[in-house]
Amino acid sequence: FVFFFSSRRRHTRSSLVSWARRCVQETGINAEYMGFINTQRMLFSLLMLAVIFSQTYAWSDTPHMIIYAIAKKDIRPGVWTRMKEIFGYMKENDANYKEDLEMALWADDVKVNKMKAFDEWHFYDQLWADGIPEEQCKVRTNKKHCIVNTVEQSKSLLARTSGDVEFHKSKMLRYYIHLLGDMHQPLHEITRCTKEHPNGDAGGNLFKIDHKFNTLHWLWDEAMATTLPTVQRPLNAEGVQIVEQWAQNIMKEHPRSNFEQELKVTNLWEMAEAVKEVAKKYAYTDIKPNTKPTDTYLKTRFPICTRLMALAGYRLADLSLIHISE
């Protein structure tokens, strides 16, 4: 894997205000969703959040592109045609515009460029009290500011047929693709509360390990970093071929028929709860803080990662069919 950092460019205060105002006034995503009473407070808070939020990591580049490639192979042609049309609405107005597979990385690219006001959109801190009573945990799960609610809002916007919202559909489709992938990274759906970390472990970011990827969260972002190859960006023809081949191999290993029951679940909150259970069962077991992950741990967790990539890809195809008009 490559952990990609693009060239950084400044976002001026005026451009951030302008972008935030358009989000509030033109999309139909109301200010209440962001937890604010009015537009002015929202604008001010976006600016403050941009300053104070720390970096939040996600599936690294290769898994995100594989998930998207799986969805593309599985989606109905008419829906894919409509998605390409929606993507194009931002082409002339977005310095981060990428073609094809790199669309799946847009939501992380804007974070790397210091647009951090929406970092909370990438995770959902579902509490797991491990070894202590839940009442001793100081975690406050916020359903309004989390990955699941953002995907729900994206669905609503993508389904709209009235109003001048094409630019914002284009933006939110990029978030939709990326965040639905992040929803299937188990450590984006949990925070483990222990005696050592009563405020939670930030999805394994505070779970330090003896590895070049030095937290449990980072290790899972990199899908154990055991087999998948490094794909350089900007993506070239060789990189596209590698991603497409891996998507094909994962679909062969984990065909749609293996997910009959899971694909019947369309409620995003239920999906998130199920992925949290994967984190409890597989991410946090057979490993202890400040120790080196065993070869057995890495080898047995890698298939869990590829299975989740496949499930995310199939769900992206199915939900796109439901929520994106042909």
Side-chain angles (χ1 to χ4, degrees), residues 87-95 97 167 174:
F87 284 141
Y89 295 137
M90 280 182 65
K91 190 168 186 177
E92 295 181 0
N93 300 293
D94 178 24
Y97 186 85
F167 174 88
R174 286 159 170 76

Side-chain angles (χ1 to χ4, degrees), residues 1 10 12 31 39 65 81 92 125 132 152 159 161 181 194-196 213 234 242 250 260:
F1 284 17
R10 294 183 181 276
T12 64
T39 300
M65 290 190 286
T81 299
E92 295 181 0
D125 277 341
I132 65 172
E152 288 277 16
T161 58
T194 61
K195 183 178 179 180
E196 293 75 23
F213 306 122
I242 290 171
I250 288 175
E260 182 177 355

Side-chain angles (χ1 to χ4, degrees), residues 91-106:
K91 190 168 186 177
E92 295 181 0
N93 300 293
D94 178 24
N96 288 303
Y97 186 85
K98 303 292 189 300
E99 296 287 352
D100 204 26
L101 292 173
E102 288 184 283
M103 291 288 188
L105 308 176
W106 184 90

Side-chain angles (χ1 to χ4, degrees), residues 20-73:
R21 183 175 290 114
R22 291 182 71 182
C23 288
V24 177
Q25 295 178 342
E26 300 177 24
T27 63
I29 299 178
N30 58 44
E32 182 181 0
Y33 157 60
M34 296 297 290
F36 302 113
I37 297 174
N38 56 43
T39 300
Q40 293 302 315
R41 289 186 185 178
M42 183 175 185
L43 293 173
F44 176 77
S45 297
L46 285 172
L47 291 170
M48 294 302 100
L49 290 169
V51 174
I52 66 174
F53 274 154
S54 60
Q55 180 74 33
T56 303
Y57 299 109
W59 280 125
S60 293
D61 292 353
T62 303
H64 270 299
M65 290 190 286
I66 288 173
I67 291 167
Y68 185 33
I70 290 170
K72 284 179 58 181
K73 293 177 184 296

Side-chain angles (χ1 to χ4, degrees), residues 168-179:
H168 302 291
K169 276 189 177 183
S170 190
K171 170 173 60 65
M172 293 311 292
L173 179 56
R174 286 159 170 76
Y175 273 113
Y176 183 72
I177 291 168
H178 183 91
L179 297 181

Side-chain angles (χ1 to χ4, degrees), residues 130-230:
D130 185 17
I132 65 172
E134 191 168 308
E135 57 267 22
Q136 292 183 17
C137 298
K138 300 177 183 179
V139 176
R140 296 294 179 266
T141 300
N142 190 339
K143 286 192 171 185
K144 282 189 175 182
H145 303 268
C146 76
I147 189 171
V148 184
N149 201 34
T150 303
V151 176
E152 288 277 16
Q153 292 290 323
S154 300
K155 285 165 43 181
S156 299
L157 179 60
L158 291 169
R160 285 186 60 183
T161 58
S162 61
D164 184 16
V165 295
E166 300 296 7
F167 174 88
H168 302 291
K169 276 189 177 183
S170 190
K171 170 173 60 65
M172 293 311 292
L173 179 56
R174 286 159 170 76
Y175 273 113
Y176 183 72
I177 291 168
H178 183 91
L179 297 181
L180 198 59
D182 274 351
M183 279 186 63
H184 291 78
Q185 203 281 50
L187 293 172
H188 278 249
E189 301 290 357
I190 194 169
T191 188
R192 176 173 174 256
C193 179
T194 61
K195 183 178 179 180
E196 293 75 23
H197 297 291
N199 293 311
D201 73 346
N205 277 300
L206 300 180
F207 192 115
K208 302 298 183 182
I209 57 175
D210 180 14
H211 193 274
K212 65 178 180 179
F213 306 122
N214 65 0
T215 70
L216 189 64
H217 188 108
W218 194 359
L219 183 65
W220 278 78
D221 275 347
E222 302 291 346
M224 306 302 116
T226 55
T227 306
L228 289 179
T230 295

